[in-house]
Amino acid sequence: MKFSIGGSLKLAFRPWVEGLENIPAEGPAILASNHLSFSDSFFLPAVLDRKVTFIAKAEYFTSPGVKGRLTAAFFKGVGQLPVDRSGGRGAGDAAVRSGIEVIRRGELFGIYPEGTRSPDGRLYRGKTGGLARVALATGAPVIPIAMIDTEKIQPPGKVVPKLMRPGIRIGKPLDFSRYQGMDNDRFILRSVTDEVMYEIMKLSGQEYVDIYATVAKRRITEAEKAAKAEQKAAGRHGHHAPEPERTAPDGATGDGRERPSGDTTGHAAG
């Protein structure tokens, strides 16, 4: 199924690729990518000769009905592993165990350090719970990857994709084997994660925001609810409220070229 889907995607969208030579022909590696669209997990494997295993929400595999069964079959066919993300730290541990198993089989493990799709096309702070822990537990090289324009092809909430060419930039492998076995040191985990995010930022050209994407999503949702409430209240009083000014979440860099902070203050690992 992987080859039939990959061939169809390449034929329809003609994705361009830079740095394909950085993917090893054999042996394990961790592919760490930014995350702009639901389709990221399909475009990247489509341009590679090797299988890439990503982790996916368990809901994709357990939804009821015909649609649910078809979705589950599709995700299994393209090599995705189900992980229950509802259990907090337990969910992170499950993801790490899955990643370690993939690496020990000598395969490619794909992961999105941001933990969720970017809400606005910018690059957000990487979570240490998956990427760094798998890298330090296994000694596998980490290959930074930037997906380009995939959010324009299939924005959140859109079912029918727009036909246009996405891009994929693949960076040189990063070696963290010097830290192998130190996967319980939160300072090392943060340093490794930030180094990977910095490389992704350079490849993608995205503006970097030093907060988690989940926090940004929550702030955007809260701002939208507040704006709607204000407009509703204004309507009851017979006048229109001014359009709310859109401001960047706290932590935005402004020019998009600032290096991820390398923060070692012990934020909770994702």
Side-chain angles (χ1 to χ4, degrees):
M1 181 179 288
K2 186 261 184 192
F3 293 104
S4 62
I5 294 173
S8 298
L9 285 175
K10 285 195 288 186
L11 181 63
F13 293 93
R14 300 181 299 114
W16 56 266
V17 188
E18 295 177 359
L20 196 58
E21 68 278 3
N22 292 321
I23 301 293
E26 59 183 19
I30 301 168
L31 309 186
S33 173
N34 60 340
H35 198 14
L36 297 172
S37 168
F38 174 80
S39 61
D40 293 336
S41 299
F42 308 127
F43 279 116
L44 178 57
V47 302
L48 303 181
D49 293 330
R50 298 183 60 188
K51 173 185 174 183
V52 183
T53 299
F54 287 89
I55 53 176
K57 293 188 294 185
E59 292 82 14
Y60 289 139
F61 298 82
T62 58
S63 298
V66 175
K67 181 180 179 181
R69 291 194 295 271
L70 289 174
T71 300
F74 175 78
F75 275 89
K76 290 176 183 177
V78 295
Q80 303 239 358
L81 292 175
V83 172
D84 184 354
R85 304 197 305 184
S86 62
R89 180 59 185 267
D93 290 341
V96 170
R97 288 194 299 271
S98 297
I100 291 174
E101 289 175 5
V102 172
I103 293 300
R104 286 178 176 169
R105 293 198 300 263
E107 300 174 2
L108 300 178
F109 176 60
I111 190 168
Y112 302 112
E114 292 167 280
T116 187
R117 280 174 279 174
S118 171
D120 54 14
R122 295 185 293 179
L123 184 69
Y124 284 84
R125 195 171 196 242
K127 293 188 173 185
T128 61
L131 165 67
R133 288 175 64 192
V134 174
L136 300 191
T138 63
V142 179
I143 301 175
I145 293 175
M147 306 300 295
I148 311 293
D149 289 337
T150 54
E151 81 283 8
K152 298 176 183 177
I153 292 174
Q154 191 175 21
K158 297 293 184 181
V159 177
V160 179
K162 177 182 179 181
L163 285 177
M164 61 177 291
R165 295 189 72 187
I168 302 172
R169 289 197 181 100
I170 303 171
K172 295 185 180 300
L174 303 174
D175 181 9
F176 297 109
S177 59
R178 62 192 181 278
Y179 299 129
Q180 188 170 356
M182 301 176 68
D183 46 302
N184 289 319
D185 187 321
R186 72 175 190 267
F187 300 106
I188 296 295
L189 292 174
R190 173 48 58 195
S191 178
V192 168
T193 303
D194 282 347
E195 183 172 340
V196 174
M197 298 309 294
Y198 180 60
E199 293 301 320
I200 293 175
M201 183 187 72
K202 290 196 299 182
L203 290 168
S204 69
Q206 290 170 279
E207 179 182 349
Y208 178 77
V209 186
D210 196 21
I211 60 173
Y212 293 121
T214 49
V215 174
K217 286 184 175 181
R218 185 173 67 248
R219 291 179 181 177
I220 291 171
T221 299
E222 291 171 351
E224 289 175 347
K225 287 181 178 178
K228 288 180 180 178
E230 184 177 348
Q231 290 174 352
K232 185 176 181 179
R236 287 199 301 266
H237 290 86
H239 59 83
H240 297 285
E243 288 292 327
E245 181 180 354
R246 295 184 65 86
T247 57
D250 294 344
T253 60
D255 63 4
R257 303 307 299 170
E258 180 179 336
R259 175 176 179 145
S261 63
D263 172 78
T264 55
T265 56
H267 285 265

Coordinates of all heavy atoms in Angstrom, one line a residue, residues 134-169:
V134 N 14.3 8.9 22.7 CA 14.6 7.8 21.8 C 16.0 7.9 21.3 O 16.7 6.9 21.2 CB 13.6 7.8 20.6 CG1 14.0 6.8 19.6 CG2 12.2 7.6 21.1
A135 N 16.4 9.1 20.9 CA 17.8 9.3 20.4 C 18.8 8.9 21.4 O 19.8 8.2 21.1 CB 18.0 10.8 20.0
L136 N 18.6 9.3 22.7 CA 19.6 9.0 23.7 C 19.6 7.6 24.2 O 20.6 7.0 24.7 CB 19.5 10.0 24.9 CG 19.6 11.5 24.6 CD1 19.7 12.3 25.8 CD2 20.8 11.7 23.7
A137 N 18.4 7.0 24.1 CA 18.3 5.6 24.5 C 18.9 4.6 23.5 O 19.3 3.5 23.8 CB 16.8 5.2 24.8
T138 N 18.9 5.0 22.2 CA 19.4 4.2 21.2 C 20.7 4.5 20.5 O 21.4 3.7 19.9 CB 18.3 4.1 20.0 OG1 18.2 5.4 19.5 CG2 17.0 3.6 20.6
G139 N 21.1 5.8 20.6 CA 22.3 6.3 19.9 C 22.1 6.5 18.4 O 23.0 6.7 17.7
A140 N 20.8 6.4 17.9 CA 20.6 6.5 16.5 C 20.7 8.0 16.1 O 20.5 8.9 16.8 CB 19.1 6.1 16.2
P141 N 21.2 8.2 14.9 CA 21.4 9.6 14.4 C 20.0 10.2 14.2 O 19.0 9.5 13.9 CB 22.1 9.4 13.0 CG 21.7 8.0 12.6 CD 21.6 7.2 13.9
V142 N 19.9 11.5 14.3 CA 18.7 12.3 14.1 C 18.9 13.1 12.8 O 19.8 13.9 12.7 CB 18.4 13.2 15.3 CG1 17.1 14.0 15.0 CG2 18.3 12.4 16.6
I143 N 17.9 13.0 11.9 CA 18.0 13.7 10.7 C 16.9 14.8 10.7 O 15.7 14.4 10.7 CB 17.8 12.7 9.5 CG1 18.9 11.7 9.5 CG2 17.8 13.5 8.1 CD1 18.7 10.6 8.4
P144 N 17.3 16.1 10.7 CA 16.2 17.1 10.7 C 15.6 17.3 9.3 O 16.3 17.2 8.3 CB 17.0 18.4 11.1 CG 18.4 18.1 10.6 CD 18.6 16.6 10.8
I145 N 14.3 17.5 9.3 CA 13.6 17.6 8.0 C 12.6 18.7 8.1 O 12.0 19.0 9.1 CB 12.8 16.3 7.7 CG1 13.8 15.2 7.5 CG2 11.9 16.4 6.5 CD1 13.2 13.8 7.3
A146 N 12.5 19.5 7.0 CA 11.5 20.6 6.9 C 10.5 20.3 5.8 O 10.9 20.1 4.6 CB 12.3 21.9 6.6
M147 N 9.3 20.3 6.2 CA 8.2 20.2 5.2 C 7.9 21.6 4.8 O 7.7 22.5 5.6 CB 7.0 19.5 5.8 CG 7.2 18.2 6.4 SD 7.9 16.9 5.2 CE 6.5 16.7 4.1
I148 N 7.7 21.9 3.5 CA 7.5 23.2 2.9 C 6.1 23.3 2.2 O 5.8 22.5 1.3 CB 8.6 23.6 1.9 CG1 10.0 23.3 2.5 CG2 8.4 25.0 1.5 CD1 10.4 24.2 3.7
D149 N 5.3 24.2 2.7 CA 4.0 24.5 2.0 C 2.9 23.4 2.1 O 1.9 23.5 1.4 CB 4.2 24.8 0.5 CG 4.9 26.2 0.3 OD1 4.8 27.0 1.2 OD2 5.5 26.4 -0.8
T150 N 3.1 22.4 2.9 CA 2.1 21.4 3.0 C 0.8 21.9 3.7 O -0.3 21.4 3.4 CB 2.6 20.2 3.8 OG1 3.1 20.6 5.1 CG2 3.6 19.4 3.0
E151 N 0.9 23.0 4.5 CA -0.3 23.5 5.1 C -1.1 24.3 4.1 O -2.3 24.5 4.3 CB 0.1 24.5 6.3 CG 0.6 25.9 5.9 CD 2.0 26.0 5.3 OE1 2.6 25.0 5.1 OE2 2.4 27.1 5.1
K152 N -0.5 24.7 3.0 CA -1.3 25.3 1.9 C -2.1 24.3 1.1 O -3.1 24.6 0.5 CB -0.4 26.1 1.0 CG 0.4 27.2 1.8 CD 1.3 27.9 0.8 CE 2.1 29.0 1.6 NZ 3.1 29.7 0.7
I153 N -1.6 23.1 1.1 CA -2.3 22.0 0.3 C -3.5 21.5 1.0 O -4.6 21.4 0.4 CB -1.3 20.9 0.1 CG1 -0.2 21.3 -0.9 CG2 -2.0 19.6 -0.5 CD1 0.9 20.3 -1.1
Q154 N -3.4 21.3 2.4 CA -4.5 20.8 3.1 C -4.5 21.5 4.5 O -4.1 21.0 5.5 CB -4.4 19.3 3.3 CG -5.7 18.7 3.8 CD -5.7 17.2 3.9 OE1 -4.6 16.6 3.9 NE2 -6.8 16.6 3.9
P155 N -5.1 22.8 4.5 CA -5.2 23.4 5.8 C -6.1 22.7 6.8 O -6.9 21.9 6.3 CB -5.8 24.8 5.4 CG -5.6 24.9 4.0 CD -5.6 23.5 3.4
P156 N -6.0 22.9 8.1 CA -6.8 22.2 9.0 C -8.3 22.4 8.7 O -8.7 23.5 8.4 CB -6.5 22.9 10.4 CG -5.1 23.3 10.2 CD -5.0 23.7 8.7
G157 N -9.1 21.3 8.7 CA -10.5 21.4 8.5 C -10.9 21.3 7.0 O -12.1 21.1 6.7
K158 N -9.9 21.3 6.1 CA -10.2 21.1 4.7 C -10.0 19.6 4.3 O -9.0 19.0 4.6 CB -9.2 21.9 3.8 CG -9.3 23.4 4.0 CD -10.7 24.0 3.5 CE -10.8 25.5 3.7 NZ -12.1 26.0 3.2
V159 N -11.0 19.1 3.6 CA -11.0 17.7 3.2 C -10.3 17.5 1.9 O -9.5 16.6 1.7 CB -12.4 17.1 3.2 CG1 -12.4 15.7 2.7 CG2 -13.1 17.2 4.6
V160 N -10.7 18.3 0.9 CA -10.2 18.2 -0.4 C -8.9 19.0 -0.6 O -8.9 20.2 -0.4 CB -11.2 18.7 -1.5 CG1 -10.6 18.6 -2.9 CG2 -12.5 17.9 -1.4
P161 N -7.7 18.3 -0.9 CA -6.5 19.1 -1.0 C -6.4 19.9 -2.2 O -7.0 19.6 -3.2 CB -5.4 17.9 -1.0 CG -6.2 16.8 -1.5 CD -7.6 16.9 -1.1
K162 N -5.5 20.9 -2.2 CA -5.3 21.8 -3.3 C -4.1 21.2 -4.0 O -3.0 20.9 -3.4 CB -5.0 23.2 -2.8 CG -4.6 24.2 -3.9 CD -4.3 25.6 -3.3 CE -3.9 26.6 -4.4 NZ -3.6 27.9 -3.8
L163 N -4.1 21.1 -5.4 CA -3.0 20.6 -6.1 C -1.9 21.7 -6.3 O -2.1 22.6 -7.0 CB -3.5 20.1 -7.5 CG -4.3 18.8 -7.5 CD1 -4.8 18.5 -8.9 CD2 -3.4 17.7 -7.0
M164 N -0.8 21.5 -5.6 CA 0.3 22.3 -5.7 C 1.5 21.6 -5.2 O 1.4 20.5 -4.6 CB 0.2 23.6 -4.9 CG 0.0 23.4 -3.4 SD -0.1 24.9 -2.5 CE 1.6 25.5 -2.6
R165 N 2.7 22.1 -5.5 CA 4.0 21.3 -5.2 C 4.5 21.6 -3.8 O 4.9 22.8 -3.5 CB 5.1 21.6 -6.2 CG 4.8 21.2 -7.6 CD 6.0 21.4 -8.5 NE 7.1 20.4 -8.2 CZ 8.3 20.4 -8.6 NH1 8.7 21.4 -9.5 NH2 9.2 19.4 -8.3
P166 N 4.5 20.7 -2.9 CA 5.1 20.9 -1.6 C 6.6 20.6 -1.8 O 7.1 20.0 -2.8 CB 4.4 19.8 -0.7 CG 4.2 18.7 -1.7 CD 3.8 19.3 -3.0
G167 N 7.3 21.0 -0.7 CA 8.8 20.7 -0.8 C 9.2 20.0 0.5 O 8.6 20.1 1.5
I168 N 10.4 19.3 0.4 CA 10.9 18.6 1.5 C 12.4 18.9 1.5 O 13.1 18.5 0.5 CB 10.6 17.1 1.5 CG1 9.1 16.9 1.4 CG2 11.3 16.4 2.6 CD1 8.8 15.4 1.1
R169 N 12.9 19.4 2.6 CA 14.4 19.6 2.8 C 14.9 18.7 3.9 O 14.4 18.7 5.0 CB 14.7 21.1 3.1 CG 14.5 22.1 2.0 CD 15.2 23.4 2.2 NE 15.0 24.3 1.1 CZ 14.1 25.3 1.2 NH1 13.4 25.5 2.3 NH2 13.9 26.1 0.2

